[in-house]
Amino acid sequence: MRNQQVRRDRMYPAGKRMAAQRRRRRKRNLRLGFVLLLFLLLILGVLWFTGRCSNAYTERTGEGIDALRPPMDVELLTVNPYSRPGTATEKIRGIVVHYTANPGATAMDNRNYFENLKDTHETKVSSNFVIGMEGEIVQCVPTWEVAYASNSRNNDTVSIECCHSDESGAFTDATYASLVDLCAWLCLKFDLTEEDVIRHYDVTGKECPRYFVEHTDAWENFRADVKEALAKDFNY
């Protein structure tokens, strides 16, 4: 053993041994750093994936978002099993456009009909928002609660009912303008695009909203207007 040590000392003077030790330490530290980096990236990847796949309700908040909200009257329904069950929504993945199918009725007429269902028990129906023929917006159900409007998509969408003056279901210019603004703001609030704005028809095949079902070109123009509003008015 002593002879071997003497030979090593002759072959590797002290300076060279120290340099070799430093190189080994550096390699060890580099390997350790690489492993730690991979571990950190793995954790960040899991957190990102979990966030993306989470079904929990989230929304963008703050003064900037609030400043862009179109004017509306908040007239929330009483919590009841027939129009506002109080059930929490999941992550919002879409905005569903409807028409009221009762020509001439105002936004408040429709809101009050939803409210009265708690007493009449006639059916189960409601909407998060109703837009009137003069462009007025009434909020009936918070976006973090389920409204009875879009069937299988009640849990992950926001619903908008639109008033109309006749059986054609065509919206007035004021209704249309408010619908564009409301959809654009909701897209901003829930990190959506115009492609996530759909018709009730796209969920169930029901002829709703009638005019946009019968005139697909008008529907595509509407979504283009939402896209333009997001880019121009909302800088999105």
Side-chain angles (χ1 to χ4, degrees):
M1 290 291 292
R2 181 177 177 79
N3 290 337
Q4 291 177 355
Q5 182 64 44
V6 171
R7 283 196 297 270
R8 280 198 296 270
D9 290 346
R10 288 174 180 173
M11 293 174 63
Y12 298 101
K16 289 186 177 180
R17 288 200 305 274
M18 292 177 66
Q21 290 172 354
R22 285 196 295 269
R23 285 195 295 272
R24 286 195 294 271
R25 281 197 298 270
R26 281 199 296 270
K27 288 180 180 178
R28 227 176 13 248
N29 290 338
L30 284 172
R31 286 195 295 269
L32 180 60
F34 183 69
V35 170
L36 289 174
L37 178 61
L38 285 178
F39 183 68
L40 179 60
L41 290 174
L42 177 62
I43 291 176
L44 291 174
V46 170
L47 291 174
W48 176 85
F49 183 78
T50 302
R52 293 284 293 182
C53 296
S54 172
N55 279 334
Y57 176 91
T58 58
E59 63 176 46
R60 292 177 173 178
T61 58
E63 293 182 0
I65 299 293
D66 291 342
L68 294 170
R69 186 181 74 168
M72 63 180 68
D73 293 327
V74 179
E75 299 287 347
L76 299 181
L77 307 177
T78 304
V79 176
N80 72 92
Y82 294 89
S83 54
R84 186 189 168 189
T87 307
T89 52
E90 300 172 359
K91 180 181 177 67
I92 299 300
R93 293 184 169 87
I95 301 161
V96 186
V97 177
H98 304 254
Y99 86 132
T100 60
N102 52 352
T106 67
M108 281 302 297
D109 287 340
N110 284 279
R111 182 267 172 201
N112 292 337
Y113 171 73
F114 298 152
E115 174 69 13
N116 289 335
L117 290 175
K118 73 182 189 303
D119 302 316
T120 66
H121 303 177
E122 179 182 340
T123 187
K124 291 183 177 181
V125 65
S126 57
S127 185
N128 294 102
F129 299 92
V130 184
I131 302 178
M133 288 178 287
E134 296 182 2
E136 71 277 19
I137 301 173
V138 177
Q139 183 174 15
C140 306
V141 178
T143 55
W144 54 86
E145 289 183 17
V146 166
Y148 290 140
S150 305
N151 302 83
S152 62
R153 297 297 306 275
N154 285 338
N155 291 330
D156 70 345
T157 60
V158 174
S159 54
I160 305 173
E161 290 277 1
C162 298
C163 299
H164 50 99
S165 59
D166 56 42
E167 292 292 343
S168 74
F171 303 149
T172 66
D173 290 345
T175 302
Y176 185 93
S178 290
L179 181 60
V180 169
D181 288 344
L182 181 56
C183 285
W185 179 69
L186 290 171
C187 282
L188 181 66
K189 191 173 183 66
F190 296 110
D191 195 22
L192 304 173
T193 74
E194 76 284 351
E195 296 297 326
D196 300 306
V197 181
I198 61 175
R199 301 164 296 183
H200 192 184
Y201 170 82
D202 299 313
V203 179
T204 65
K206 181 179 180 179
E207 192 182 45
C208 175
R210 174 175 289 172
Y211 190 83
F212 281 154
V213 173
E214 294 180 347
H215 302 83
T216 55
D217 55 336
W219 173 247
E220 292 307 321
N221 288 338
F222 167 74
R223 293 214 292 188
D225 287 340
V226 172
K227 181 178 182 179
E228 182 179 354
L230 279 168
K232 180 180 177 182
D233 300 331
F234 293 85
N235 296 315
Y236 184 55

